[in-house]
mmCIF file of all heavy atoms in Angstrom:
data_model
loop_
_atom_site.group_PDB
_atom_site.id
_atom_site.type_symbol
_atom_site.label_atom_id
_atom_site.label_comp_id
_atom_site.label_asym_id
_atom_site.label_seq_id
_atom_site.Cartn_x
_atom_site.Cartn_y
_atom_site.Cartn_z
ATOM 1 N N LYS A 1042 -53.280 -41.919 53.792
ATOM 2 C CA LYS A 1042 -52.236 -41.526 54.743
ATOM 3 C C LYS A 1042 -52.825 -41.108 56.088
ATOM 4 O O LYS A 1042 -52.294 -41.461 57.136
ATOM 5 C CB LYS A 1042 -51.417 -40.377 54.166
ATOM 6 C CG LYS A 1042 -50.219 -39.999 55.012
ATOM 7 C CD LYS A 1042 -49.440 -38.826 54.409
ATOM 8 C CE LYS A 1042 -48.853 -39.189 53.068
ATOM 9 N NZ LYS A 1042 -48.024 -38.122 52.478
ATOM 10 N N PHE A 1043 -53.914 -40.349 56.075
ATOM 11 C CA PHE A 1043 -54.478 -39.780 57.301
ATOM 12 C C PHE A 1043 -55.882 -40.313 57.560
ATOM 13 O O PHE A 1043 -56.661 -40.489 56.625
ATOM 14 C CB PHE A 1043 -54.553 -38.253 57.185
ATOM 15 C CG PHE A 1043 -53.226 -37.586 56.976
ATOM 16 C CD1 PHE A 1043 -52.850 -37.133 55.720
ATOM 17 C CD2 PHE A 1043 -52.343 -37.397 58.028
ATOM 18 C CE1 PHE A 1043 -51.624 -36.504 55.517
ATOM 19 C CE2 PHE A 1043 -51.111 -36.784 57.831
ATOM 20 C CZ PHE A 1043 -50.759 -36.341 56.576
ATOM 21 N N TRP A 1044 -56.203 -40.525 58.814
ATOM 22 C CA TRP A 1044 -57.559 -40.868 59.207
ATOM 23 C C TRP A 1044 -57.758 -40.510 60.667
ATOM 24 O O TRP A 1044 -56.810 -40.199 61.374
ATOM 25 C CB TRP A 1044 -57.868 -42.334 58.924
ATOM 26 C CG TRP A 1044 -57.536 -43.304 60.020
ATOM 27 C CD1 TRP A 1044 -58.395 -43.833 60.926
ATOM 28 C CD2 TRP A 1044 -56.259 -43.872 60.322
ATOM 29 N NE1 TRP A 1044 -57.724 -44.693 61.764
ATOM 30 C CE2 TRP A 1044 -56.413 -44.732 61.416
ATOM 31 C CE3 TRP A 1044 -54.984 -43.724 59.768
ATOM 32 C CZ2 TRP A 1044 -55.357 -45.449 61.972
ATOM 33 C CZ3 TRP A 1044 -53.932 -44.432 60.325
ATOM 34 C CH2 TRP A 1044 -54.129 -45.284 61.402
ATOM 35 N N THR A 1045 -59.021 -40.551 61.080
ATOM 36 C CA THR A 1045 -59.367 -40.253 62.465
ATOM 37 C C THR A 1045 -59.981 -41.493 63.084
ATOM 38 O O THR A 1045 -60.942 -42.050 62.539
ATOM 39 C CB THR A 1045 -60.376 -39.085 62.534
ATOM 40 O OG1 THR A 1045 -59.838 -37.969 61.835
ATOM 41 C CG2 THR A 1045 -60.646 -38.683 63.969
ATOM 42 N N ALA A 1046 -59.433 -41.915 64.206
ATOM 43 C CA ALA A 1046 -60.005 -43.036 64.942
ATOM 44 C C ALA A 1046 -61.332 -42.591 65.554
ATOM 45 O O ALA A 1046 -61.483 -41.431 65.949
ATOM 46 C CB ALA A 1046 -59.045 -43.499 66.033
ATOM 47 N N ASP A 1047 -62.277 -43.508 65.624
ATOM 48 C CA ASP A 1047 -63.611 -43.167 66.129
ATOM 49 C C ASP A 1047 -63.563 -42.477 67.493
ATOM 50 O O ASP A 1047 -64.277 -41.506 67.713
ATOM 51 C CB ASP A 1047 -64.493 -44.415 66.220
ATOM 52 C CG ASP A 1047 -64.859 -44.957 64.855
ATOM 53 O OD1 ASP A 1047 -64.784 -44.199 63.863
ATOM 54 O OD2 ASP A 1047 -65.220 -46.144 64.773
ATOM 55 N N HIS A 1048 -62.730 -42.968 68.388
ATOM 56 C CA HIS A 1048 -62.693 -42.394 69.739
ATOM 57 C C HIS A 1048 -61.948 -41.050 69.803
ATOM 58 O O HIS A 1048 -61.918 -40.410 70.846
ATOM 59 C CB HIS A 1048 -62.072 -43.397 70.727
ATOM 60 C CG HIS A 1048 -60.624 -43.659 70.503
ATOM 61 N ND1 HIS A 1048 -60.169 -44.528 69.532
ATOM 62 C CD2 HIS A 1048 -59.529 -43.149 71.094
ATOM 63 C CE1 HIS A 1048 -58.848 -44.538 69.560
ATOM 64 N NE2 HIS A 1048 -58.420 -43.717 70.493
ATOM 65 N N GLU A 1049 -61.375 -40.601 68.697
ATOM 66 C CA GLU A 1049 -60.633 -39.338 68.672
ATOM 67 C C GLU A 1049 -61.325 -38.241 67.867
ATOM 68 O O GLU A 1049 -60.791 -37.144 67.749
ATOM 69 C CB GLU A 1049 -59.227 -39.571 68.088
ATOM 70 C CG GLU A 1049 -58.357 -40.439 68.962
ATOM 71 C CD GLU A 1049 -57.066 -40.866 68.291
ATOM 72 O OE1 GLU A 1049 -56.973 -40.789 67.045
ATOM 73 O OE2 GLU A 1049 -56.162 -41.296 69.010
ATOM 74 N N THR A 1050 -62.511 -38.497 67.332
ATOM 75 C CA THR A 1050 -63.156 -37.513 66.458
ATOM 76 C C THR A 1050 -63.448 -36.194 67.160
ATOM 77 O O THR A 1050 -63.442 -35.148 66.518
ATOM 78 C CB THR A 1050 -64.458 -38.063 65.846
ATOM 79 O OG1 THR A 1050 -65.331 -38.478 66.889
ATOM 80 C CG2 THR A 1050 -64.169 -39.227 64.910
ATOM 81 N N GLN A 1051 -63.672 -36.227 68.443
ATOM 82 C CA GLN A 1051 -63.969 -34.977 69.163
ATOM 83 C C GLN A 1051 -62.714 -34.213 69.568
ATOM 84 O O GLN A 1051 -62.792 -33.087 70.047
ATOM 85 C CB GLN A 1051 -64.824 -35.264 70.391
ATOM 86 C CG GLN A 1051 -64.130 -36.132 71.417
ATOM 87 C CD GLN A 1051 -65.067 -36.597 72.517
ATOM 88 O OE1 GLN A 1051 -66.229 -36.257 72.534
ATOM 89 N NE2 GLN A 1051 -64.550 -37.368 73.449
ATOM 90 N N PHE A 1052 -61.556 -34.813 69.376
ATOM 91 C CA PHE A 1052 -60.290 -34.192 69.767
ATOM 92 C C PHE A 1052 -59.496 -33.740 68.547
ATOM 93 O O PHE A 1052 -59.711 -34.222 67.444
ATOM 94 C CB PHE A 1052 -59.452 -35.176 70.601
ATOM 95 C CG PHE A 1052 -60.176 -35.677 71.809
ATOM 96 C CD1 PHE A 1052 -60.674 -36.967 71.851
ATOM 97 C CD2 PHE A 1052 -60.388 -34.847 72.900
ATOM 98 C CE1 PHE A 1052 -61.355 -37.428 72.964
ATOM 99 C CE2 PHE A 1052 -61.065 -35.293 74.014
ATOM 100 C CZ PHE A 1052 -61.558 -36.591 74.056
ATOM 101 N N ALA A 1053 -58.565 -32.845 68.752
ATOM 102 C CA ALA A 1053 -57.747 -32.304 67.664
ATOM 103 C C ALA A 1053 -56.525 -33.195 67.427
ATOM 104 O O ALA A 1053 -55.379 -32.785 67.626
ATOM 105 C CB ALA A 1053 -57.344 -30.865 67.980
ATOM 106 N N TRP A 1054 -56.775 -34.426 67.001
ATOM 107 C CA TRP A 1054 -55.733 -35.405 66.696
ATOM 108 C C TRP A 1054 -56.051 -36.066 65.369
ATOM 109 O O TRP A 1054 -57.215 -36.179 64.979
ATOM 110 C CB TRP A 1054 -55.676 -36.483 67.786
ATOM 111 C CG TRP A 1054 -55.066 -35.995 69.057
ATOM 112 C CD1 TRP A 1054 -55.676 -35.239 70.016
ATOM 113 C CD2 TRP A 1054 -53.733 -36.210 69.500
ATOM 114 N NE1 TRP A 1054 -54.790 -34.976 71.034
ATOM 115 C CE2 TRP A 1054 -53.590 -35.562 70.750
ATOM 116 C CE3 TRP A 1054 -52.646 -36.883 68.969
ATOM 117 C CZ2 TRP A 1054 -52.411 -35.573 71.464
ATOM 118 C CZ3 TRP A 1054 -51.464 -36.904 69.686
ATOM 119 C CH2 TRP A 1054 -51.355 -36.251 70.927
ATOM 120 N N VAL A 1055 -55.010 -36.534 64.684
ATOM 121 C CA VAL A 1055 -55.175 -37.285 63.444
ATOM 122 C C VAL A 1055 -54.204 -38.460 63.483
ATOM 123 O O VAL A 1055 -53.136 -38.376 64.090
ATOM 124 C CB VAL A 1055 -54.941 -36.393 62.196
ATOM 125 C CG1 VAL A 1055 -53.486 -35.969 62.065
ATOM 126 C CG2 VAL A 1055 -55.437 -37.058 60.924
ATOM 127 N N ARG A 1056 -54.589 -39.553 62.856
ATOM 128 C CA ARG A 1056 -53.702 -40.708 62.722
ATOM 129 C C ARG A 1056 -52.977 -40.636 61.383
ATOM 130 O O ARG A 1056 -53.525 -40.153 60.391
ATOM 131 C CB ARG A 1056 -54.503 -42.016 62.771
ATOM 132 C CG ARG A 1056 -55.242 -42.264 64.065
ATOM 133 C CD ARG A 1056 -54.327 -42.819 65.128
ATOM 134 N NE ARG A 1056 -55.036 -43.057 66.358
ATOM 135 C CZ ARG A 1056 -55.283 -44.261 66.859
ATOM 136 N NH1 ARG A 1056 -54.863 -45.335 66.221
ATOM 137 N NH2 ARG A 1056 -55.930 -44.374 67.988
ATOM 138 N N VAL A 1057 -51.748 -41.161 61.374
ATOM 139 C CA VAL A 1057 -50.912 -41.156 60.175
ATOM 140 C C VAL A 1057 -50.390 -42.569 59.950
ATOM 141 O O VAL A 1057 -49.744 -43.144 60.833
ATOM 142 C CB VAL A 1057 -49.711 -40.186 60.338
ATOM 143 C CG1 VAL A 1057 -48.898 -40.129 59.052
ATOM 144 C CG2 VAL A 1057 -50.161 -38.800 60.774
ATOM 145 N N ARG A 1058 -50.667 -43.132 58.778
ATOM 146 C CA ARG A 1058 -50.131 -44.444 58.428
ATOM 147 C C ARG A 1058 -48.658 -44.267 58.062
ATOM 148 O O ARG A 1058 -48.331 -43.577 57.093
ATOM 149 C CB ARG A 1058 -50.898 -45.032 57.257
ATOM 150 C CG ARG A 1058 -52.280 -45.480 57.615
ATOM 151 C CD ARG A 1058 -53.041 -46.015 56.394
ATOM 152 N NE ARG A 1058 -54.389 -46.386 56.762
ATOM 153 C CZ ARG A 1058 -55.418 -45.539 56.806
ATOM 154 N NH1 ARG A 1058 -55.254 -44.274 56.481
ATOM 155 N NH2 ARG A 1058 -56.615 -45.966 57.175
ATOM 156 N N LEU A 1059 -47.779 -44.892 58.825
ATOM 157 C CA LEU A 1059 -46.342 -44.699 58.614
ATOM 158 C C LEU A 1059 -45.887 -45.170 57.240
ATOM 159 O O LEU A 1059 -45.018 -44.560 56.625
ATOM 160 C CB LEU A 1059 -45.548 -45.382 59.727
ATOM 161 C CG LEU A 1059 -45.774 -44.792 61.128
ATOM 162 C CD1 LEU A 1059 -44.999 -45.590 62.163
ATOM 163 C CD2 LEU A 1059 -45.400 -43.325 61.170
ATOM 164 N N ALA A 1060 -46.472 -46.234 56.741
ATOM 165 C CA ALA A 1060 -46.078 -46.745 55.423
ATOM 166 C C ALA A 1060 -46.410 -45.768 54.305
ATOM 167 O O ALA A 1060 -45.805 -45.821 53.228
ATOM 168 C CB ALA A 1060 -46.754 -48.091 55.160
ATOM 169 N N ALA A 1061 -47.342 -44.843 54.544
ATOM 170 C CA ALA A 1061 -47.746 -43.883 53.522
ATOM 171 C C ALA A 1061 -46.944 -42.577 53.581
ATOM 172 O O ALA A 1061 -47.049 -41.749 52.670
ATOM 173 C CB ALA A 1061 -49.238 -43.576 53.654
ATOM 174 N N VAL A 1062 -46.148 -42.403 54.622
ATOM 175 C CA VAL A 1062 -45.333 -41.196 54.737
ATOM 176 C C VAL A 1062 -44.221 -41.268 53.694
ATOM 177 O O VAL A 1062 -43.522 -42.272 53.599
ATOM 178 C CB VAL A 1062 -44.756 -41.049 56.171
ATOM 179 C CG1 VAL A 1062 -43.797 -39.877 56.256
ATOM 180 C CG2 VAL A 1062 -45.889 -40.892 57.177
ATOM 181 N N GLU A 1063 -44.070 -40.210 52.919
ATOM 182 C CA GLU A 1063 -43.161 -40.225 51.774
ATOM 183 C C GLU A 1063 -41.700 -40.446 52.147
ATOM 184 O O GLU A 1063 -41.002 -41.225 51.518
ATOM 185 C CB GLU A 1063 -43.303 -38.930 50.986
ATOM 186 C CG GLU A 1063 -44.626 -38.835 50.270
ATOM 187 C CD GLU A 1063 -44.771 -37.549 49.506
ATOM 188 O OE1 GLU A 1063 -43.748 -36.980 49.070
ATOM 189 O OE2 GLU A 1063 -45.918 -37.120 49.331
ATOM 190 N N ASP A 1064 -41.225 -39.708 53.153
ATOM 191 C CA ASP A 1064 -39.814 -39.805 53.507
ATOM 192 C C ASP A 1064 -39.596 -39.232 54.900
ATOM 193 O O ASP A 1064 -40.533 -38.781 55.559
ATOM 194 C CB ASP A 1064 -38.935 -39.101 52.477
ATOM 195 C CG ASP A 1064 -39.302 -37.642 52.263
ATOM 196 O OD1 ASP A 1064 -39.859 -36.998 53.187
ATOM 197 O OD2 ASP A 1064 -39.030 -37.125 51.168
ATOM 198 N N GLU A 1065 -38.360 -39.261 55.340
ATOM 199 C CA GLU A 1065 -38.035 -38.787 56.683
ATOM 200 C C GLU A 1065 -38.336 -37.299 56.854
ATOM 201 O O GLU A 1065 -38.746 -36.873 57.932
ATOM 202 C CB GLU A 1065 -36.572 -39.071 57.010
ATOM 203 C CG GLU A 1065 -36.239 -38.748 58.442
ATOM 204 C CD GLU A 1065 -34.870 -39.246 58.854
ATOM 205 O OE1 GLU A 1065 -34.552 -40.409 58.577
ATOM 206 O OE2 GLU A 1065 -34.140 -38.440 59.458
ATOM 207 N N ASP A 1066 -38.160 -36.504 55.812
ATOM 208 C CA ASP A 1066 -38.459 -35.076 55.908
ATOM 209 C C ASP A 1066 -39.939 -34.841 56.195
ATOM 210 O O ASP A 1066 -40.296 -33.980 57.009
ATOM 211 C CB ASP A 1066 -38.063 -34.337 54.633
ATOM 212 C CG ASP A 1066 -36.554 -34.212 54.462
ATOM 213 O OD1 ASP A 1066 -35.826 -34.317 55.479
ATOM 214 O OD2 ASP A 1066 -36.112 -34.018 53.323
ATOM 215 N N GLU A 1067 -40.799 -35.585 55.524
ATOM 216 C CA GLU A 1067 -42.234 -35.441 55.781
ATOM 217 C C GLU A 1067 -42.569 -35.875 57.204
ATOM 218 O O GLU A 1067 -43.335 -35.202 57.902
ATOM 219 C CB GLU A 1067 -43.067 -36.234 54.777
ATOM 220 C CG GLU A 1067 -44.564 -36.034 55.013
ATOM 221 C CD GLU A 1067 -45.459 -36.823 54.083
ATOM 222 O OE1 GLU A 1067 -45.038 -37.889 53.583
ATOM 223 O OE2 GLU A 1067 -46.599 -36.377 53.868
#
Side-chain angles (χ1 to χ4, degrees):
K1042 186 181 296 183
F1043 300 103
W1044 89 99
T1045 305
D1047 291 339
H1048 68 280
E1049 294 170 342
T1050 56
Q1051 63 190 359
F1052 304 106
W1054 286 79
V1055 68
R1056 298 279 180 111
V1057 183
R1058 288 178 182 85
L1059 296 177
V1062 174
E1063 290 179 28
D1064 56 26
E1065 187 170 312
D1066 289 338
E1067 182 182 27

